[in-house]
Amino acid sequence: MSILGRVVATERRPNTPHEFHFWTALDSPVGIGTIVRVEGLQPVNGHIPRVYGVVTEGFGYTDLESPLHDVLGHDGIPDDVAPTRRTEIRLYTAAVLRHVPEEPLQPVGMGTVFLASDEDVATALRMDSYLKAGAHTGIPVGLYRAGATKSPVYLDADFLVGPEAAHLNISGVSGLATKTSAVEWLLASIFAHFPAKKGRVAAVCFNVKGPDLCFLDQPASKLEDADLALYDELGVPSEPFRDVHYYAPYTARGYALNTLRSNEALEHNVHPLTWGLREVLQYAEVLLNKDDVDAKADALIDFITERVVNQDFTDPMLTGAHRVQSFGDLGRWFSELLRGMEGKNAESWRTHHVATIRKVRNRLTNISTRCRGLVTDDGTVSDLPFGQFADRAVYVVDVANLEEDAQDLIFARVVSQLREHLEKRTLGVEHVIVFVDELNKYAPSDGPDTYVRKMLLDIAERGRYLGLVLFAAQQFRSQVHRRVVGNSGTALFGRMDPDELATPGYATLAPATRTKLSTLEKGQLMVRHPHFAQPVFVRFPRPAVLSGREGVERFPQAEEPTLDAAITRSLRTLDRAVTLDWVQDTIALADEDEVLRARNRTLQAKPDDVRAYFRAQLKRRVQGETVPNRTRPALKTAPVDDPYGF
Amino acid sequence: MRDTLRGLRAIAAAAPAVGMVTCGVGGSSLEIAPVDAEPPRLEAAAPIEGDALVARMVPGEIVAGFAAFLDGIQTSKPAAYVRSGVPLVHGTVAAVIRERTARTLATWHGAPVVERRLYAPADLVGAELVDHLGAAGLSLVDTLDGKADTGARHPQELLALARTAVQRAREQAEIKLAEAWCLSERRPLYIDGGISGSGAAAKSAYAVGVVKSHKTLYASSGAVTVVTSLPKGARTTAFEIRSPRRTTVASWYLRLRDATGREPLFGLVRVEIASSAFTVAHADLVSRWILAERAPLSLPDKRWSTMAYGIRDCEEYLRAIA
């Protein structure tokens, strides 16, 4: 390999153990982010030192002392070409990635500079430690390119998914699809390369906006040759995810699922997400405002959760036994309790003041209204398959069209359930990657200390021991809680907003690196990883899945169906023999709530005989009978000759 | 210089009898020390273009024509003193041709001439020290040119002798390169300074000497005004410079820059070419080539008004390596 440049150091610009300078020819293929190798000239302890570095800054200047001199030299005429070019220099500053040998750690000495080869890149980024045969834990994150060098860059699975370090944070401006694309690509890479001996891995993705993650199981409309080459070079199949399951609550009307993936052609793996009282009450804290719910109210909620829900509850204040299993039951329980207190003119019940009881009733019963579609009055539960998670499967929870409260509730409960199951080793997989976009909304650096933020902090700080890994994305990293981003072992940066780059969190980056970050092309990332002493720039391919924008064009959202059509579509996911006519006949006499309840119970039970089960859920009704209009004979006829009947 | 000093210190330690005391590396260069300036003078020269020196505008389009530039540098510093203050001067001379290809300058044939030597009067430093220097591989140039001289001399006089010897060495290095060019190339070479000292270059049609200093002004008293009032882009008619020890060359003055409001010699150069190559048309062509070298400016060099950028490049290059 030919010499690219030479190391230089001056008193004003000295080399240090972590930074050095070198010059190159004007036409060298060096740029910001290029990895170089320095071959030392002077042996240290008998070894010629080798230093690997990544270019972080570049300077170009001539022997001009003042721009005015050039103006004078050209008589002020810009297009006047001088016969000789001024002496010009390309001077680069590189941050040290690695010294070989590592000790003694000395300032970088004079030497010749080479463009890093494939092998050099692996050594420079310390990937050699985890790319060994038999102990390969590398997950390709992208391709490093400089000149003729094309080197795959790998992340260490032990530091990406745990247990050594974990979590990934990705930042980038909105609208370039970098964040979502990068996560889709990286999940595909993890699924392709995660070592089997490290256990099974699945992903739970929260789709928080638009159709971003709604078509992960559909192939991309078109992959360029360059993308296919990248897939090939990085050893990842260019195909959509094979095992994807979608979960979404119902719309407020309850007919259809509240998701942009509502096209009938894609319904086979879209499941309802509905919870009842028991599921919600555990996370009431998420929905109840701290200012609203004081200690007294909190105590009453705890009492209801522990002593009332899901058990036969009797009390002198109540007329009979109550078994509260749904929001409907809870409403009735509250009504009877308050009636009883009024009847007895009681101001408190079991130390709870009537005002507190009224307040808690309002707040709790209101949840089913605020989270309509997610929370069912009748207690029907349709949930993620906790306990039966499959290896290399993606579970997408679509919360894009939900109110903030409902989003928070879903996030809190799903993550808690994942955590509980991982703790007990009963989830079905050993590692779960949770992808959350818009992290600055869920874990902001300022604002109130919400339940969701506490939960994210908990995952960030302790999740890696459990196998619960957070992949989070946001536009403004500076607006995310420091402990969340600080605990992310790996960080990816797409094109960044210049204002964001001006915040103190980016002060460690050289100005040229920041400039490059603000102008990154689609498909380029800057990667920070515990093994890499400095961030490196890589390219990754366009995801092999259909983008959200293209997906909604190819699979338009279905119209809000009629009740008959909605029931038909839901039941047909279990039994293709269900027809609209059959549904219309079956539900003709039932009211809407009853029909929806029957549908929910059928979907939850997944019975063998769908139609029979569904019909059985509807109230039994006595069929009306038409009585013919008969002429009844008189009981006694009067004698013709006896007008009085005697 | 460091290697030379190391050698001298070793000699001083090994042979205290020679009474040598070495200097540090930080001593000041003899080139910046004041010298007794030779007084400026006028010298009449024989016109070869017309009968008298007159001004004429350089006709035609200004185009770049030089293929390369030649210049040299010298530095000399006292390295040691022996006995009654006799200096041993360390002199470095270097010369280079920077060839222009596609507007970019690079060293011709890949290597400059660089010579590092000690300069001292051999007779005055003594045979013993000369032997020691030879044994240590330090080359000594006798500033007395081999003449026997055991008389006492003023140390500054000896320093001036050394400086002159270094200057001669530099001129020789330049001549060597200029002659090499003229022997192998058929393209014009811009040489900083006169060419009459070089036999081969002074006779070559491809060597052009450009003189920036004008201590001797080749004009009769009546023609001085022609030179000092030469407008920008004009030249004088040519004249011949003859000297018993030098080759006769054709020469003329050329004003590179507007001197309005400045001293009369601002932007004024004197051009030398081989007498045999002189024609009016060739003088105009060479003048156009020189005028083309006004850009880029060789600032921040103080001699920028008369110095071509290619010459500055030679000097910067030599300063970097020598």
Side-chain angles (χ1 to χ4, degrees), chain A residues 289-323:
Chain A
N289 190 331
K290 277 277 176 204
D291 302 332
D292 257 7
V293 182
D294 51 20
K296 293 176 206 164
D298 215 21
L300 178 57
I301 292 168
D302 285 346
F303 177 82
I304 293 169
T305 309
E306 286 167 21
R307 303 280 299 279
V308 178
V309 174
N310 278 341
Q311 49 195 284
D312 291 328
F313 182 79
T314 53
D315 188 90
M317 203 64 80
L318 302 171
T319 55
H322 275 258
R323 190 171 183 84

Side-chain angles (χ1 to χ4, degrees), chain B:
Chain B
M1 171 112 187
R2 284 178 196 280
D3 290 342
T4 305
L5 276 174
R6 214 170 284 134
L8 291 175
R9 280 181 193 134
I11 293 169
V18 299
M20 183 169 65
V21 181
T22 56
C23 305
V25 279
S28 59
S29 167
L30 295 183
E31 279 68 27
I32 60 167
V35 277
D36 290 338
E38 197 183 317
R41 63 195 173 94
L42 294 176
E43 189 175 318
I48 55 172
E49 184 183 0
D51 298 329
L53 203 66
V54 294
R56 66 193 302 270
M57 290 306 292
V58 176
E61 192 184 350
I62 291 169
V63 287
F66 290 108
F69 299 83
L70 186 157
D71 197 10
I73 62 164
Q74 66 180 69
T75 55
S76 43
K77 283 182 183 175
Y81 287 92
V82 288
R83 299 226 165 95
S84 53
V86 178
L88 267 80
V89 171
H90 179 269
T92 303
V93 299
V96 68
I97 292 177
R98 300 278 284 168
E99 185 181 7
R100 181 159 61 191
T101 310
R103 300 178 61 224
T104 304
L105 295 169
T107 303
W108 182 61
H109 284 185
V113 175
V114 182
E115 292 166 357
R116 294 182 179 87
R117 291 193 184 122
L118 282 172
Y119 294 81
D123 264 11
L124 296 181
V125 297
E128 188 188 354
L129 179 56
V130 173
D131 291 344
H132 279 299
L133 292 173
L138 297 171
S139 158
L140 181 72
V141 176
D142 185 4
T143 55
L144 298 173
D145 286 335
K147 292 172 201 159
D149 189 345
T150 51
R153 295 277 191 118
H154 192 297
Q156 284 184 348
E157 185 192 352
L158 295 172
L159 286 174
L161 277 175
R163 185 171 56 188
T164 307
V166 173
Q167 190 175 334
R168 272 203 306 272
R170 194 253 298 160
E171 285 168 0
Q172 286 308 308
E174 290 176 359
I175 287 168
K176 195 168 140 188
L177 274 177
E179 291 182 349
W181 174 273
C182 294
L183 284 173
S184 62
E185 298 285 348
R186 293 289 177 269
R187 296 177 293 159
L189 174 69
Y190 186 120
I191 299 172
D192 186 51
I195 59 169
S196 60
S198 157
K203 290 172 186 162
S204 168
Y206 302 103
V208 176
V210 181
V211 182
K212 304 190 296 288
S213 59
H214 306 290
K215 233 171 225 173
T216 303
L217 206 57
Y218 292 95
S220 60
S221 54
V224 170
T225 323
V226 175
V227 176
T228 55
S229 61
L230 206 58
K232 175 187 169 189
R235 71 172 178 90
T236 62
T237 47
F239 47 88
E240 221 164 40
I241 298 176
R242 299 182 187 120
S243 165
R245 282 175 298 171
R246 292 181 172 251
T247 309
T248 299
V249 292
S251 184
W252 65 90
Y253 287 97
L254 174 68
R255 180 77 74 178
L256 302 180
R257 303 180 193 281
D258 188 0
T260 309
R262 296 179 181 265
E263 52 102 7
L265 303 181
F266 177 83
L268 186 76
V269 294
R270 184 170 59 78
V271 186
E272 287 184 5
I273 62 170
S275 276
S276 57
F278 175 78
T279 62
V280 173
H282 189 60
D284 286 336
L285 179 65
V286 168
S287 298
R288 289 199 292 274
W289 291 346
I290 295 170
L291 287 169
E293 300 301 332
R294 289 177 298 186
L297 284 189
S298 54
L299 277 166
D301 198 290
K302 285 177 183 161
R303 302 160 293 171
W304 67 272
S305 70
T306 52
M307 182 188 255
Y309 184 79
I311 298 301
R312 172 177 154 76
D313 179 82
C314 290
E315 291 191 1
E316 289 295 309
Y317 172 80
L318 293 172
R319 265 195 278 273
I321 60 149

Side-chain angles (χ1 to χ4, degrees), chain A residues 235-258:
Chain A
V236 177
S238 57
E239 58 188 34
F241 293 95
R242 290 178 187 167
D243 193 4
V244 188
H245 304 273
Y246 285 87
Y247 293 85
Y250 284 105
T251 59
R253 283 183 73 185
Y255 291 2
L257 294 179
N258 198 351

Side-chain angles (χ1 to χ4, degrees), chain A residues 422-441:
Chain A
L422 282 168
E423 272 174 356
K424 294 177 196 158
R425 299 277 165 208
T426 58
L427 187 61
V429 294
E430 286 73 38
H431 306 274
V432 176
I433 294 162
V434 175
F435 172 52
V436 187
D437 201 352
E438 306 294 341
L439 191 64
N440 43 338
K441 179 179 157 191

Side-chain angles (χ1 to χ4, degrees), chain A residues 9-315:
Chain A
T10 60
E11 197 169 352
R12 279 189 179 181
R13 210 187 280 271
N15 291 342
T16 66
H18 58 268
E19 188 179 82
F20 62 94
H21 313 282
F22 65 97
W23 65 269
T24 69
L26 296 183
D27 60 349
S28 78
V30 172
I32 303 302
T34 303
I35 297 175
V36 295
R37 184 186 85 235
V38 176
E39 291 285 338
L41 302 176
Q42 189 72 32
V44 177
N45 289 344
H47 296 281
I48 291 288
R50 271 189 172 191
V51 178
Y52 300 90
V54 58
V55 175
T56 56
E57 189 59 277
F59 306 92
Y61 51 89
T62 67
D63 55 0
L64 264 178
E65 202 169 58
S66 157
L68 197 59
H69 296 167
D70 207 43
V71 177
L72 292 173
H74 290 91
D75 285 335
I77 304 166
D79 63 355
D80 177 35
V81 179
T84 308
R85 275 205 190 96
R86 280 193 177 277
T87 305
E88 192 178 348
I89 184 171
R90 291 282 184 274
L91 180 68
Y92 294 98
T93 301
V96 171
L97 288 165
R98 190 173 186 181
H99 288 264
V100 177
E102 309 265 5
E103 296 291 341
L105 186 60
Q106 294 185 340
V108 179
M110 298 306 100
T112 44
V113 180
F114 298 84
L115 205 60
S117 65
D118 223 19
E119 201 178 303
D120 291 333
V121 172
T123 309
L125 300 179
R126 296 167 199 273
M127 297 192 298
D128 45 356
S129 62
Y130 54 92
L131 296 181
K132 292 177 198 154
H136 194 297
T137 53
I139 307 287
V141 66
L143 196 71
Y144 161 80
R145 282 208 300 224
T149 306
K150 285 182 183 178
S151 304
V153 173
Y154 295 88
L155 304 176
D156 186 353
D158 285 340
F159 286 75
L160 178 65
V161 183
E164 302 296 342
H167 314 306
L168 175 129
N169 185 273
I170 175 162
S171 308
V173 295
S174 289
L176 283 179
T178 303
K179 300 193 291 285
T180 309
S181 298
V183 168
E184 287 169 353
W185 147 251
L186 197 56
L187 281 179
S189 181
I190 290 170
F191 283 6
H193 287 267
F194 191 71
K197 66 182 178 193
K198 285 182 64 64
R200 293 160 295 179
V201 61
V204 173
C205 302
F206 290 92
N207 184 53
V208 296
K209 59 180 193 301
D212 274 3
L213 301 170
C214 285
F215 307 98
L216 297 182
D217 55 347
Q218 298 299 313
S221 57
K222 191 187 174 197
L223 283 177
E224 305 286 339
D225 289 346
D227 291 315
L228 292 171
L230 278 173
Y231 275 104
D232 197 39
E233 280 158 325
L234 297 168
V236 177
S238 57
E239 58 188 34
F241 293 95
R242 290 178 187 167
D243 193 4
V244 188
H245 304 273
Y246 285 87
Y247 293 85
Y250 284 105
T251 59
R253 283 183 73 185
Y255 291 2
L257 294 179
N258 198 351
T259 173
L260 287 173
R261 189 186 165 99
S262 57
N263 190 289
E264 201 167 355
L266 302 177
E267 275 191 331
H268 60 282
N269 58 355
V270 186
H271 314 283
L273 183 69
T274 56
W275 295 331
L277 177 64
R278 191 184 56 175
E279 288 72 30
V280 174
L281 221 48
Q282 290 172 327
Y283 303 96
E285 195 187 327
V286 179
L287 298 171
L288 301 178
N289 190 331
K290 277 277 176 204
D291 302 332
D292 257 7
V293 182
D294 51 20
K296 293 176 206 164
D298 215 21
L300 178 57
I301 292 168
D302 285 346
F303 177 82
I304 293 169
T305 309
E306 286 167 21
R307 303 280 299 279
V308 178
V309 174
N310 278 341
Q311 49 195 284
D312 291 328
F313 182 79
T314 53
D315 188 90

